[in-house]
Amino acid sequence: MDVHDVNGADFKDPDPSGGILFSVTGSAVPTRFDGVRIEDSTVRRTDRTGIGTSSSWGRRAEHPNGPGTSWEAITGLRIQRNKVYDVGGDGIVVQTAKGALVEHNYVNGFNMRSAGYDAGIWAWNSDDILYQYNEVTGGHGTLDSMAYDIDGGNNRNVYQYNYSHDNEGGFLLICNGAGMTTDGNRVRHNISINDRNTMSPYGVISVVCAATTDTRIYGNTIVTDEANTALVSDNGPTGVTFRNNIFVGASGGSPIDDTRSVYENNLYWRTAQPLDTSALAADPLFASASPTAPRDVRLRAGSPALGTGIPVDDGITRDYFGNRIPTPPNLGADQDR
């Protein structure tokens, strides 16, 4: 499908508008979709959402104030190999789903006209969602505008092998909703290049809103050329652990404004995190001193990030580039020896 030039209202619930949407409605009979596939399509110049799902059946213990009287998760959802350009609000948003696969999508230009909070690819009140091999760029504004987002009622969701670059809102948002449960999420083997967010309390990674539990961010490479952005920023309880990542600031330095999260065995260059008692402060020796693409953050021979990671027993055997992960692993997203 090629969906383009769609006018719409600036809201996503309860009557969403956008390019390709699957919306469960009604209040009498608990209802859900199964087996939805959105594949090989292009969405451009649409408001408010590019591609998305929503449901009027979203109430459960993890979201006690959700709509309806029960949680009827959309199942069998696959969003694959789509291209989304110039959308007013969210690029791709999954709501009220379980076990969805979101992979090989390209989002360029989101939150272009909305007055609300929007992200590139994310979920709400959804469990066991796998996001991989996606690329998000061109996020506009600083009301969210992050490429990826772990939000309210998200449990056991995984972001892996994704690329984010040049987003005004940053790379990643961690933001649980009030009274909701967001637990067991993983962000691993991703690359963020020249993302930024200069509005406090946001940063390239923003840990805000209500606390999550057991959020693990590891094996990622995060580099920015914006000195006025924080690499990580928080404004409240977090529940987040950062391990085996590479953080590289701009030439003038980029701070980490986070005094609450757990940091262990990360590499820092042109930035610092005093909470990390096993920190490695050194030039990672990227393939390029000014990265603009994933290949530019591959590690050169002699890099201090080689072989200095803590092994992680997560069943993952390959890195972003397809290299086998050695033992001990490298720091960051490149695991080549």
Side-chain angles (χ1 to χ4, degrees), residues 266-315:
N266 302 284
L267 184 148
Y268 306 90
W269 183 239
R270 298 195 289 261
T271 188
Q273 174 49 280
L275 295 178
D276 193 340
T277 59
S278 53
L280 182 59
D283 184 342
L285 298 181
F286 289 147
S288 171
S290 300
T292 59
R295 64 180 179 276
D296 294 337
V297 299
R298 302 196 73 164
L299 302 173
R300 287 185 278 146
S303 168
L306 294 171
T308 51
I310 298 172
V312 178
D313 185 15
D314 60 3

Side-chain angles (χ1 to χ4, degrees), residues 206-218:
S206 303
V207 184
V208 295
C209 315
T212 66
T213 51
D214 191 27
T215 299
R216 303 181 194 179
I217 300 175
Y218 60 91

Side-chain angles (χ1 to χ4, degrees), residues 11 49 59-60 67 154 159 283:
F11 49 82
T49 299
R59 180 166 297 188
R60 56 176 177 155
N154 285 182
Y159 284 100
D283 184 342

Side-chain angles (χ1 to χ4, degrees), residues 125-144:
N125 195 24
S126 296
D127 294 351
D128 305 301
I129 313 299
L130 177 60
Y131 312 85
Q132 59 184 5
Y133 308 114
N134 300 291
E135 179 179 349
V136 178
T137 188
H140 175 64
T142 52
L143 288 180
D144 286 5

Side-chain angles (χ1 to χ4, degrees), residues 84-92 106-114 116-122 135-148 163-172 192-198 203-204:
V84 177
Y85 303 93
D86 188 15
V87 293
D90 294 306
I92 298 174
Y106 177 67
V107 176
N108 187 343
F110 62 94
N111 204 17
M112 301 302 289
R113 292 167 290 278
S114 174
Y117 294 84
D118 303 281
I121 298 178
W122 68 290
E135 179 179 349
V136 178
T137 188
H140 175 64
T142 52
L143 288 180
D144 286 5
S145 300
M146 296 84 179
Y148 308 109
Y163 177 38
S164 169
H165 62 101
D166 302 289
N167 292 289
E168 293 180 6
F171 159 54
L172 178 67
S192 166
I193 296 178
N194 298 337
D195 291 316
R196 60 200 181 276
N197 195 321
T198 59
V204 176

Side-chain angles (χ1 to χ4, degrees), residues 3 11 15 27 64 93 120 139 145 155 157 172 219 253 286 309 320 325 337:
V3 182
F11 49 82
D15 183 20
S27 59
V93 57
S145 300
N155 299 284
N157 293 351
L172 178 67
F286 289 147
Y320 177 96
I325 298 175
R337 285 282 210 269

